[in-house]
Amino acid sequence: MKCNRIGIISLLFAAPLIGAVGCSRNNPTGPEATATPNATTKGAADDKHGHKPSAHGGIIVEIGQDNYHAEAVFAKGGVLRLYMLGNDETKVQEIEAQPLTGYAKVEGDAEAIPFALRPEPQPGDKPNMTSLFLGDLPKDLVGKKLEITIPSVSIKGERFRVAFKSVPDTAEDHGMPTKVADEAERKLYLTPGGKYT
């Protein structure tokens, strides 16, 4: 009988400890609770980041999963300038000098027309490296809303696909007025008027 009391008393003390251990695994509050976020959470956070303003007034393009960036500048005469940028889009990124083939099509069309982009090293680029590519868009497509795809760009031994549009989402698409001409803008902002004057 003495043995049974000891066994029962031991069981009474052990049960809360077993319960506590079991609870901590189901509802972590210690270091286990601060596990790294899952891929979905991380992806959602990454998708919400914004890009810094471009240096040349172009469109900032993400390369890879935000590994690198490029700035696409559509210049007069159908010239496309593609400035290579790092993970931080304010930093110039040199990559291997290589000829690139791009494909341009009018937004929504099925057929694309190939065009060449050639490396155009900038001052300060190392030999056989470049931070700028130049290409002449197909003449029939100049001045239109385009979708551009460059299926293969090699950066540090990895290959990336780059795709972007010549006209990103703008204020006009969201019901906002387009930018007014410089003289009209000066008049609008520098002429006092309205109920606050």
Side-chain angles (χ1 to χ4, degrees):
M1 189 134 161
K2 190 175 185 182
C3 260
N4 284 342
R5 276 191 233 161
I6 293 174
I8 292 172
I9 292 171
S10 299
L11 198 60
L12 290 173
F13 284 112
L17 292 174
I18 292 169
V21 170
C23 288
S24 71
R25 288 187 183 166
N26 292 334
N27 187 12
T29 56
E32 297 87 5
T34 58
T36 55
N38 63 25
T40 310
T41 307
K42 186 176 184 289
D46 288 347
D47 290 344
K48 292 181 181 176
H49 88 280
H51 290 122
K52 296 175 179 84
S54 61
H56 304 95
I59 301 160
I60 297 294
V61 179
E62 187 176 307
I63 300 176
Q65 292 185 346
D66 226 18
N67 298 26
Y68 304 98
H69 293 87
E71 181 184 359
V73 178
F74 291 84
K76 288 183 181 179
V79 174
L80 173 62
R81 294 176 177 275
L82 195 65
Y83 294 91
M84 304 307 296
L85 307 170
N87 177 273
D88 173 356
E89 60 268 23
T90 62
K91 294 186 179 177
V92 174
Q93 175 72 49
E94 292 178 335
I95 69 169
E96 299 87 343
Q98 59 198 285
L100 301 176
T101 301
Y103 294 88
K105 64 179 185 173
V106 174
E107 194 173 344
D109 278 1
E111 288 190 39
I113 301 172
F115 68 100
L117 289 130
R118 63 193 176 280
E120 190 73 29
Q122 297 187 88
D125 288 347
K126 294 178 189 140
N128 301 319
M129 302 291 277
T130 188
S131 57
L132 173 62
F133 290 88
L134 289 178
D136 295 313
L137 294 168
K139 299 246 184 264
D140 296 346
L141 304 181
V142 174
K144 297 180 180 176
K145 288 185 178 182
L146 301 178
E147 295 176 357
I148 307 290
T149 303
I150 303 168
S152 182
V153 178
S154 293
I155 305 174
K156 295 184 179 179
E158 291 185 89
R159 288 174 37 174
F160 295 93
R161 179 181 180 276
V162 181
F164 54 94
K165 294 180 180 182
S166 63
V167 181
D169 288 339
T170 62
E172 184 179 81
D173 296 334
H174 302 291
M176 297 293 288
T178 56
K179 181 184 183 308
V180 293
D182 291 336
E183 187 55 41
E185 183 178 27
R186 260 193 288 285
K187 185 177 179 183
L188 174 68
Y189 292 113
L190 298 177
T191 304
K195 64 183 178 181
Y196 297 108
T197 56

